[in-house]
């Protein structure tokens, strides 16, 4: 599923923000047919930061899932990540220096969670249009399964896309290759600064 | 289709003029996609835990997973089948707790309601339950959230101190 922004550059920005410093860029809700990926194209460059608000569940048969991000179609090993996780029973950490995408957690799964439960991730991409900085991403994510099984958790994730190019597109898929199910939602916002 | 203007709209705000046991936001419009509750609050004389109940649901329909830490270390806990949702530790004596609660897709009538909480509380002696942390919360109801009541769990004098602030914001999604 590919989404193209309705806004194009600075001339598309609303002038009536007042206290509303966040501006919706585009959103998609998965319909009755599960989808393997989401793409935000033509991201306008007139904001300071971006925020992705995601509400997700996948077709994975067990465990947790999440959102893998790639920027501008870059599938090279140019992403690094740190993770601090609370599973409900233990605290753990994770990280890697170079990978082909940046994984952020957590989404619920058809096989691991009770029905009607979705995970949530609020993710910030700071200085996304800078040509002088690598792109830093931070997120808070979580899902709870009412104490059933070993799934669920609350996650602090941070990642870095080691590239000086402004972000113009974001590709999102599941780290496990599963599909996003109906009612999963991906909303992109621009934050003025 | 016209592009949407800015979002993060203040729906309601409450700054306490006196010690109060609970704060309620009612008649929450369903026109937004997400809600964000921002609290800056403390107890007059002791510490406590902040909790939320939605739509007056007093059933055991709330659960959460916590990740938190203070000078004593870090831990992760989970709690299920509760009558309210824990959303942060509450400090005292003018050491405000800041708790931000994100409730995504609060108005949909198909899924349960998931929330993300980021909370920070400080106190000079760093006693329990004072800490910093995050919470993944769940209200097992497919009803749209139309009201929320914020109070405290089982501690201290049970009041939010005068000067505590509670602000509820709505976030609209972009065009489909």
């Amino acid at each position: 599923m590919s989404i193209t922004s309705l806004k194009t550059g600075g001339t598309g920005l609303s002038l009536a923000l007042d206290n509303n410093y966040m501006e919706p860029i585009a959103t998609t809700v998965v319909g009755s047919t599960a989808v393997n990926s989401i793409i935000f194209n033509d991201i306008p460059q007139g904001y300071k930061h971006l925020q992705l608000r995601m509400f997700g569940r996948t077709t994975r048969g067990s465990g947790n899932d999440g959102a893998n991000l790639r920027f501008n179609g870059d599938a090279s090993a140019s992403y690094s990540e740190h993770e601090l996780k609370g599973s409900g029973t233990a605290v753990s950490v994770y990280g890697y220096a170079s990978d082909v995408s940046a994984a952020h957690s957590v989404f619920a799964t058809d096989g691991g969670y009770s029905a009607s439960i979705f995970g949530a991730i609020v993710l910030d991409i700071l200085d996304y249009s800078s040509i002088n900085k690598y792109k830093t991403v931070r997120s808070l994510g979580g899902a709870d399964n009412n104490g059933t099984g070993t799934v669920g958790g609350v996650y602090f994730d941070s990642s870095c896309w080691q590239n000086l190019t402004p972000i113009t597109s974001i590709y999102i898929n599941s780290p496990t290759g599963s599909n996003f199910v109906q009612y999963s939602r991906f909303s992109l916002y621009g934050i003025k600064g | 289709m016209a592009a949407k203007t800015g979002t993060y709209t203040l729906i309601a705000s409450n700054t306490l003029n006196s010690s109060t046991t609970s704060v309620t936001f009612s008649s929450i419009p369903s026109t937004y996609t997400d809600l964000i509750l921002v609290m800056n609050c403390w107890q007059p004389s002791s510490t406590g835990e902040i909790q939320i109940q939605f739509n007056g649901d007093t059933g055991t329909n709330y659960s959460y997973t916590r990740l938190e830490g203070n000078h004593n270390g870090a831990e992760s806990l989970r709690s299920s089948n509760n009558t309210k949702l824990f959303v942060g530790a509450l400090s005292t004596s003018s050491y405000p707790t800041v708790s931000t609660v994100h409730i995504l897709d609060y108005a949909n009538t198909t899924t349960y309601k998931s929330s993300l909480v980021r909370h920070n509380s400080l106190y000079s002696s760093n006693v329990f339950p004072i800490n910093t942390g995050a919470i993944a919360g769940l209200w097992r109801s497919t009803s749209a959230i139309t009201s929320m009541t914020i109070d405290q769990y089982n501690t201290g004098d049970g009041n939010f101190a005068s000067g505590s602030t509670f602000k509820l914001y709505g976030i609209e999604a972009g065009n489909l």
Side-chain angles (χ1 to χ4, degrees), chain B residues 48-98:
Chain B
E49 296 189 344
I50 313 170
Q51 52 189 3
I52 290 179
Q53 197 172 68
F54 298 117
N55 293 10
D57 180 6
T58 59
T60 54
N61 297 318
Y62 304 83
S63 58
Y64 51 86
T65 302
R66 301 162 58 164
L67 169 64
E68 57 205 26
N70 60 18
H71 71 299
N72 286 324
E75 65 178 1
S76 181
L77 307 169
R78 62 170 59 165
S79 182
S80 55
N81 299 314
N82 301 292
T83 58
K84 298 183 184 182
L85 179 66
F86 169 73
V87 292
L90 186 66
S91 190
T92 186
S93 301
S94 300
Y95 289 83
T97 285
V98 177

Side-chain angles (χ1 to χ4, degrees), chain B:
Chain B
M1 180 182 299
K4 292 198 173 184
T5 58
T7 186
Y8 212 121
T9 304
L10 182 64
I11 298 172
S13 177
N14 191 340
T15 300
L16 302 183
N17 296 318
S18 61
S19 291
T20 305
T21 57
S22 67
V23 173
T24 296
F25 291 109
S26 57
S27 302
I28 297 172
S30 62
T31 50
Y32 300 97
T33 305
D34 301 338
L35 296 175
I36 300 178
L37 173 65
V38 180
M39 298 178 281
N40 189 339
C41 52
W42 65 100
Q43 269 207 24
S45 60
S46 185
T47 59
E49 296 189 344
I50 313 170
Q51 52 189 3
I52 290 179
Q53 197 172 68
F54 298 117
N55 293 10
D57 180 6
T58 59
T60 54
N61 297 318
Y62 304 83
S63 58
Y64 51 86
T65 302
R66 301 162 58 164
L67 169 64
E68 57 205 26
N70 60 18
H71 71 299
N72 286 324
E75 65 178 1
S76 181
L77 307 169
R78 62 170 59 165
S79 182
S80 55
N81 299 314
N82 301 292
T83 58
K84 298 183 184 182
L85 179 66
F86 169 73
V87 292
L90 186 66
S91 190
T92 186
S93 301
S94 300
Y95 289 83
T97 285
V98 177
S99 175
T100 303
V101 183
H102 295 257
I103 309 167
L104 280 72
D105 271 42
Y106 74 100
N108 88 59
T109 56
T110 304
T111 67
Y112 290 164
K113 304 306 178 286
S114 297
S115 54
L116 293 173
V117 183
R118 182 78 174 91
H119 65 95
N120 304 275
S121 57
L122 288 168
Y123 186 48
S124 61
S125 61
N126 284 319
V127 300
F128 175 85
I130 304 306
N131 53 40
T132 186
I135 303 163
L138 179 69
W139 178 42
R140 296 190 314 283
S141 171
T142 56
S143 298
I145 293 176
T146 58
S147 70
M148 60 177 71
T149 297
I150 307 146
D151 65 8
Q152 297 177 49
Y153 170 75
N154 197 30
T155 48
D157 63 11
N159 285 314
F160 293 110
S162 176
S164 296
T165 62
F166 303 82
K167 294 180 183 291
L168 182 66
Y169 297 87
I171 304 285
E172 288 185 82
N175 296 311
L176 297 177

Side-chain angles (χ1 to χ4, degrees), chain A residues 11-95:
Chain A
T11 58
L13 295 176
S14 167
L15 299 178
L17 289 177
D18 291 332
N19 294 321
N20 299 336
Y21 64 90
M22 274 180 65
E23 189 165 86
I25 296 174
T27 199
T28 185
V29 179
V30 179
S32 58
T33 302
V35 300
N36 186 254
S37 63
I38 305 291
I39 306 174
F40 290 97
N41 288 316
D42 299 326
I43 296 172
Q45 298 300 298
Y47 301 102
K48 184 63 174 174
H49 312 298
L50 299 175
Q51 183 171 97
L52 260 175
R53 303 180 69 85
M54 300 181 281
F55 183 70
R57 183 179 174 105
T58 76
T59 56
R60 190 186 189 201
S62 64
N64 296 321
D65 213 327
N68 251 2
L69 271 63
R70 282 183 180 156
F71 301 117
N72 296 6
D74 183 6
S76 66
S78 53
Y79 302 85
S80 56
E81 180 187 328
H82 285 107
E83 180 174 273
L84 172 63
K85 166 191 171 183
S87 68
T89 56
V91 178
S92 60
V93 294
Y94 178 74

Side-chain angles (χ1 to χ4, degrees), chain A residues 1-182:
Chain A
M1 179 181 293
S2 175
I3 294 86
T4 299
S5 173
L6 294 173
K7 298 187 179 291
T8 54
T11 58
L13 295 176
S14 167
L15 299 178
L17 289 177
D18 291 332
N19 294 321
N20 299 336
Y21 64 90
M22 274 180 65
E23 189 165 86
I25 296 174
T27 199
T28 185
V29 179
V30 179
S32 58
T33 302
V35 300
N36 186 254
S37 63
I38 305 291
I39 306 174
F40 290 97
N41 288 316
D42 299 326
I43 296 172
Q45 298 300 298
Y47 301 102
K48 184 63 174 174
H49 312 298
L50 299 175
Q51 183 171 97
L52 260 175
R53 303 180 69 85
M54 300 181 281
F55 183 70
R57 183 179 174 105
T58 76
T59 56
R60 190 186 189 201
S62 64
N64 296 321
D65 213 327
N68 251 2
L69 271 63
R70 282 183 180 156
F71 301 117
N72 296 6
D74 183 6
S76 66
S78 53
Y79 302 85
S80 56
E81 180 187 328
H82 285 107
E83 180 174 273
L84 172 63
K85 166 191 171 183
S87 68
T89 56
V91 178
S92 60
V93 294
Y94 178 74
Y96 56 79
S98 61
D99 208 328
V100 298
S101 59
H104 289 257
S105 299
V106 62
F107 284 159
T109 61
D110 281 348
Y113 286 72
S114 302
S116 307
I117 295 177
F118 283 63
I121 303 173
V122 176
L123 182 149
D124 295 312
I125 306 170
L126 307 176
D127 283 344
Y128 74 102
S129 64
S130 172
I131 59 173
N132 301 305
K133 305 175 187 178
Y134 289 167
K135 308 307 179 287
T136 298
V137 182
R138 67 178 184 191
S139 69
L140 171 62
D144 184 270
N145 199 37
N146 193 33
T148 303
T150 59
V151 295
V154 56
Y155 292 71
F156 287 107
D157 282 310
S158 64
S159 62
C160 179
W161 180 43
Q162 296 138 40
N163 194 301
L164 299 177
T165 304
I167 293 174
T168 57
S169 71
I170 303 173
Y171 171 88
I172 306 167
N173 71 340
S174 154
T176 67
S178 304
N179 293 329
F180 300 120
V181 303
Q182 186 178 23

